[in-house]
Amino acid sequence: GKSTKFKKIDDSIHKEHYDRMHQKLTQNPHYAKKMVRVRSKTVEPVIGTLVNFTNMKRVNTRGIKNANKHVLMAALTYNLKKYLKFITKKTKTKAGIVCENETKAQTLLKTAFTDLKSWFLSALFFTNYNFNSKKNLA
């Protein structure tokens, strides 16, 4: 302010954790490099995919509830994408291709039912139904 000649910076309640982490990373450069590699493999691709492909650059909703809903749906789509890649594997042999074609039909049915279930649950979960509403019939 106008009456003081200095600025005051308050510490976070997590300052001791930050200090411990900083000390651990500066004392052991091998550990720091390992953690950078782990982060670049696990966290950053997820954030990049969410930002680039699921409209997470900007949340165009009002309120914490709607923003939370937006993030949950983006995470759900990311997890479904990962799950679909996990259950469909590429094969090179003819026997594997025949088996793959049979499992594709099962996979399509699974995803159709999963989509239907998630649509139904999202319709129930994200809308406010008032089941105990009393109507005035007079």
Side-chain angles (χ1 to χ4, degrees):
K2 293 181 181 179
S3 61
T4 60
K5 301 289 180 186
F6 61 90
K7 292 185 178 184
K8 181 179 178 184
I9 299 173
D10 292 330
D11 289 334
S12 170
I13 60 171
H14 305 291
K15 184 176 180 351
E16 60 192 31
H17 299 295
Y18 294 139
D19 291 341
R20 219 175 330 137
M21 178 192 65
H22 181 69
Q23 183 182 12
K24 197 176 199 180
L25 291 176
T26 53
Q27 284 181 352
N28 191 353
H30 177 70
Y31 176 75
K33 283 185 180 182
K34 178 183 167 190
M35 293 312 294
V36 166
R37 273 189 250 118
V38 167
R39 179 180 170 168
S40 68
K41 287 180 193 174
T42 56
V43 177
E44 291 175 4
V46 175
I47 292 172
T49 303
L50 288 174
V51 166
N52 293 324
F53 299 112
T54 58
N55 197 20
M56 289 296 294
K57 285 182 184 175
R58 178 171 292 152
V59 178
N60 293 325
T61 57
R62 287 189 177 186
I64 296 294
K65 279 180 134 180
N66 288 334
N68 190 24
K69 187 189 326 180
H70 186 84
V71 172
L72 283 174
M73 294 309 273
L76 180 96
T77 57
Y78 180 80
N79 288 335
L80 279 175
K81 178 183 164 190
K82 292 286 282 189
Y83 178 70
L84 288 174
K85 281 187 177 181
F86 179 74
I87 60 175
T88 57
K89 296 178 181 176
K90 303 287 183 191
T91 56
K92 294 183 180 179
T93 62
K94 291 182 181 179
I97 292 172
V98 170
C99 182
E100 183 180 313
N101 289 337
E102 290 175 5
T103 57
K104 275 187 182 179
Q106 294 172 353
T107 304
L108 288 173
L109 280 174
K110 277 185 189 177
T111 56
F113 284 123
T114 305
D115 291 342
L116 185 63
K117 183 176 112 180
S118 65
W119 176 79
F120 181 72
L121 288 176
S122 67
L124 285 178
F125 184 70
F126 294 123
T127 55
N128 295 327
Y129 287 109
N130 190 2
F131 290 111
N132 296 326
S133 63
K134 296 180 181 177
K135 295 183 180 177
N136 190 1
L137 299 176

